[in-house]
Amino acid sequence: MKQGLLFLAIAFLSSSCAAIISGKHSNVNVRTDKTTNLVVEGDTILRDSNETVYLKVENDRAPLKVTAFDSTDSKPYYIRSKTSPAYWLNGFSAPFFFSGFLLDEIIGLKKKYPRNVYIYTEGGSYGYLPYFPMDSTLLERKNKITFAPISIVHEYHPAFEFGYERLHKNNFATQVTLGVFRSWDNNFARNSKGIKASIEEKYFFRNQTRTRFYASFVFEHHRKTHEADLDFVTVDNQGIPQWENGQFRQRTEVEKRLYGFTPRIGFQTYITDRLMVEGFFGMGLRHRNVRHLNVDPSARYDTGFWEWLDIDYESNRPGRNVTSNWDLNFRIGWVF
């Protein structure tokens, strides 16, 4: 009986993800915008340079007080703790499902302090950032040319895609992208021809070390023709399909005109001062206008038995309609 209770107690205690992964302390790296002395938890740190200060502090729900002072001024800063990412892993804890949430709440280890803290002590913007800001010299070059390598092997709209981005006032940018469709041996891009173009407006809401995060919206247009092997059925004078002997498959020339609007979130990371990579994800709407150019008007596009699962059918279905649009891609860019 005692062994069973001991096992249950150990299992319960070990289910706390924040306690196990994060521990009782946080490693906090502090930078300031000028050389100042610091007081942290009663300990004074005298500084004669502006190098990073490395601290190890005990986690707590209460803010961490850091005082910056020099011969003329002294000001306290309260660094707020945040919920540890490890805390949310408690949703997968075993053997007591969600028991880790309760334990982390009881022992108070769900909170930890940010790893990097940047303190502003002058310029009228007193405060701090929970990350190190980007070096402003990286933003001096306002132009980027980009290339999207994954677009070349995209299953539905493969294209050679290039773009140009212009940065405005450090936090805003406009990107223009042009793509030339290439062929792919499937029913979405066989003998494909045409172009796609887009214009995107970006707002950079966080500039951190060598990475920038942004939100944007993009307007796009696709003008494309390709061939597809599609199924049809003939209809009689009353419009009744002739299922017995009227079904046939034909290589069809498909014309598509697509217009889309998609909000996105993304990031740009500088590998060097000039080379960067960019990734983004978005969900939006797309208006589609699809025509079959070489099909007998008396034939009807065959939906097939699995219409609701048939991507070939939905992509090549003639007519006008509005569908959802998902964007997921990355680019390589050169800054100048």
Side-chain angles (χ1 to χ4, degrees):
M1 181 66 177
K2 292 182 178 180
Q3 291 179 341
L5 292 176
L6 179 61
F7 171 77
L8 292 176
I10 294 175
F12 180 78
L13 291 173
S14 64
S15 66
S16 168
C17 292
I20 295 172
I21 298 175
S22 300
K24 294 183 179 181
H25 296 86
S26 291
N27 293 315
V28 181
N29 309 319
V30 179
R31 289 183 188 172
T32 56
D33 58 353
K34 70 174 185 177
T35 301
T36 62
N37 303 311
L38 300 175
V39 178
V40 183
E41 295 185 329
D43 295 330
T44 301
I45 304 171
L46 300 178
R47 306 166 68 209
D48 55 8
S49 69
N50 202 22
E51 295 181 353
T52 302
V53 175
Y54 303 97
L55 306 173
K56 186 174 184 179
V57 297
E58 187 171 349
N59 291 328
D60 200 331
R61 292 185 177 90
L64 173 67
K65 182 180 178 181
V66 177
T67 300
F69 72 95
D70 55 22
S71 59
T72 60
D73 193 19
S74 176
K75 184 172 179 59
Y77 299 85
Y78 297 91
I79 313 303
R80 293 186 296 273
S81 59
K82 59 182 180 179
T83 301
S84 168
Y87 173 75
W88 303 109
L89 296 177
N90 287 314
F92 306 97
S93 61
F96 300 99
F97 191 59
F98 285 107
S99 62
F101 286 119
L102 177 61
L103 182 59
D104 282 340
E105 291 288 348
I106 294 173
I107 63 179
L109 292 182
K110 63 176 287 187
K111 295 290 188 178
K112 66 177 303 181
Y113 296 106
R115 176 174 293 274
N116 298 317
V117 174
Y118 186 84
I119 292 177
Y120 292 98
T121 62
E122 60 182 2
S125 57
Y126 304 115
Y128 76 93
L129 296 173
Y131 54 87
F132 292 156
M134 176 173 286
D135 188 339
S136 60
T137 59
L138 291 176
L139 305 180
E140 292 176 354
R141 300 181 178 95
K142 303 293 185 180
N143 305 286
K144 298 184 183 75
I145 53 174
T146 62
F147 172 63
I150 290 183
S151 294
I152 299 175
V153 294
H154 194 282
E155 183 177 4
Y156 302 109
H157 302 294
F160 297 99
E161 183 179 313
F162 297 89
Y164 167 74
E165 179 186 296
R166 173 68 181 181
L167 185 64
H168 311 290
K169 297 182 179 179
N170 291 343
N171 289 329
F172 295 89
T174 300
Q175 168 121 9
V176 178
T177 303
L178 179 66
V180 179
F181 290 114
R182 63 178 294 269
S183 296
W184 197 257
D185 191 20
N186 60 26
N187 274 348
F188 312 107
R190 184 176 291 111
N191 295 323
S192 179
K193 299 177 182 178
I195 61 172
K196 63 177 180 178
S198 67
I199 182 169
E200 181 178 10
E201 294 295 329
K202 300 177 179 178
Y203 170 67
F204 294 93
F205 57 85
R206 179 163 172 164
N207 299 336
Q208 151 182 336
T209 315
R210 301 186 71 87
T211 300
R212 313 187 76 194
F213 298 91
Y214 68 84
S216 70
F217 57 87
V218 57
F219 295 95
E220 62 176 345
H221 171 54
H222 291 193
R223 183 181 181 90
K224 174 184 177 183
T225 58
H226 67 92
E227 295 179 351
D229 295 328
L230 305 179
D231 294 323
F232 296 89
V233 61
T234 58
V235 296
D236 61 18
N237 293 333
Q238 284 78 38
I240 300 175
Q242 304 300 298
W243 299 110
E244 291 292 332
N245 52 16
Q247 291 179 292
F248 65 96
R249 173 167 291 188
Q250 175 180 317
R251 178 153 293 189
T252 307
E253 186 175 2
V254 182
E255 179 190 77
K256 294 177 178 176
R257 302 290 183 265
L258 310 178
Y259 299 88
F261 172 75
T262 306
R264 291 173 176 169
I265 57 173
F267 70 90
Q268 294 180 349
T269 296
Y270 287 78
I271 306 302
T272 69
D273 290 354
R274 290 184 178 271
L275 180 65
M276 51 81 66
V277 294
E278 175 179 0
F280 59 84
F281 169 76
M283 294 186 295
L285 296 175
R286 177 177 285 170
H287 179 270
R288 307 173 75 255
N289 183 8
V290 180
R291 293 196 304 154
H292 295 165
L293 301 182
N294 61 336
V295 179
D296 189 332
S298 66
R300 180 180 299 175
Y301 188 33
D302 190 1
T303 63
F305 181 75
W306 295 104
E307 175 185 348
W308 65 286
L309 289 176
D310 193 341
I311 299 177
D312 280 28
Y313 170 78
E314 290 297 334
S315 177
N316 295 304
R317 178 162 56 101
R320 299 173 182 264
N321 65 323
V322 176
T323 63
S324 61
N325 179 48
W326 294 64
D327 280 345
L328 180 64
N329 209 337
F330 93 96
R331 302 171 176 141
I332 300 173
W334 183 256
V335 184
F336 62 97

